[in-house]
Amino acid sequence: MSKPQSSYHVEETAATQLGIDTVTPRVLARMIDVVGDQNLVLTVMGQSGIGKTAIPKQIAETRGVPYAQVHMPTASPESFKLPTLPKDGSPYFDQKIPRTFEELLRYVADEAPKHPGGRIPAHRKAMLVVEELNRAPDKSTTRSAFVLIGYRMIGDAKIPDGIQIIATMNPSGQGFSVNEYEKDPAMRRRTMMVYLAADYADFMTFAESHEFHDEVVGYLRAHVSHFYDETAAKAGKVFACPAAWEAVSRVCYALASAAESLTGAVARAAFAGIIGTATTQTFIEYVKDRTTTVAPDDVLYRYSAVRTRVQKLIKDERL
């Protein structure tokens, strides 16, 4: 008689390797607001196109505050500081602040006096996002980012408390193995790390509240698994993801404004460039079916859109 196995294999992910929690977009948005007063740098890891950058930007828009970003793959040490020689012959020099940070710093200077003790509350803090933190082109740029995040310094200037810093990272490689940056204990100690996972319910709530095109919302309701095409992403192909579906929605509106069909050659090429040919084919088939059939849910929950479509069908038949 064989002995029962005392353990089982659990596939490691970037989250489990780092010992961090996995959160949904809704939880991440709440975390950003909650830790805003603590000057903790929230570092968000996750796959491409699920909202790591979009969520902080949306929060900044909701707050009505400035938003700035540093894109690490294209950054250099000069993106953080630039030495300047003094004109008075002094042996000392200053470090000039890049213009990227100008709007944030000016905002804080104007906003701080409006609050007791000059302390800007979380819901009024400006937002600075360091994108793809673990993909700097060289070590000197990485060190500059380390100083910004770990010590809240831009060159020799202190980053005011009225600026909230968020960092984002993509998992390293298709196997989600961590790289040297994530392994750095000093950096882990200076950040609050979470892993953001795509969440269908959160995305659909966002899509409806932001008035995504009816065809996109309807398609994703009928094809739940298509909202994030992980297989295509891992294969290095153009893939469907929340950010891509937002782009498809905008293209749908643009096609309608230009009196172009959502099922024609122009639409097919545009959609394929955003979500790939396979998903485009099923999306266009769905749109074609929708022009001749009406789902019960549409009648119950989206009657105005159904009425418009039916009126158009009647008009087309008369022509």
Side-chain angles (χ1 to χ4, degrees), residues 120-133:
I120 299 175
H123 71 277
R124 293 297 300 154
K125 287 191 176 184
M127 192 79 71
L128 172 62
V129 176
V130 183
E131 291 189 353
E132 300 190 53
L133 181 60

Side-chain angles (χ1 to χ4, degrees), residues 219 262-264 267-269 271 279-289:
Y219 177 81
L262 296 185
T263 61
R268 182 181 295 273
F271 296 150
T279 304
T280 292
Q281 181 61 35
T282 56
F283 178 64
I284 286 179
E285 288 174 358
Y286 171 84
V287 173
K288 287 180 178 178
D289 288 343

